[in-house]
Amino acid sequence: MIRTLVITAALAFAGAAAAQDPHAGHTMQAQAATPQSGITTIPADGAMTHGSPDRFSATFPHPMILKTVTLTAEGQAPVVVTAPAAPADATVTVALPRLAPNTYTAAWTAEGADGHKMSGSVRFMVH
């Protein structure tokens, strides 16, 4: 009974501490398109597109500013797409160049209004 009370109190304290910290449970390195991170992307990780996607977008659990998206594919030089200046938003988007059929990795970087940085990557295939 006492052991259960101690564990319950410890969990309640940890939950209260996390509720006070807006960044609790969020790491500075996040893998996009994973349910655990709370970040989704378009194209999604593992997506197979029919033709070149027009845009890359990321939806975060809180407002962010997308800084860059670097596209890499085997046999091609990396392409860095710099996002235009925009206010922080929960969903951020950048136009992509036309992509030839290949398998790509899109590595992104983003920054919160308070200066914290996040990055991640997704792999997708263009048919």
Side-chain angles (χ1 to χ4, degrees):
M1 175 73 163
I2 291 184
R3 177 184 282 166
T4 302
L5 182 60
V6 170
I7 291 172
T8 303
L11 291 173
F13 178 75
Q20 293 175 2
D21 181 359
H23 301 296
H26 129 147
T27 62
M28 294 304 165
Q29 293 289 322
Q31 185 66 25
T34 59
Q36 298 85 0
S37 69
I39 300 167
T40 57
T41 64
I42 299 174
D45 193 34
M48 288 188 245
T49 67
H50 297 286
S52 179
D54 294 335
R55 303 190 167 282
F56 173 85
S57 68
T59 300
F60 298 96
H62 54 276
M64 297 291 288
I65 299 167
L66 187 64
K67 294 296 190 173
T68 61
V69 176
T70 303
L71 300 165
T72 55
E74 188 172 326
Q76 297 180 1
V79 175
V80 178
V81 180
T82 303
D89 200 348
T91 299
V92 292
T93 302
V94 65
L96 294 177
R98 179 154 302 283
L99 303 174
N102 208 333
T103 300
Y104 291 87
T105 298
W108 55 265
T109 60
E111 186 174 308
D114 63 357
H116 77 277
K117 297 180 186 329
M118 295 180 72
S119 62
S121 64
V122 295
R123 290 179 50 89
F124 61 95
M125 184 180 287
V126 175
H127 286 279

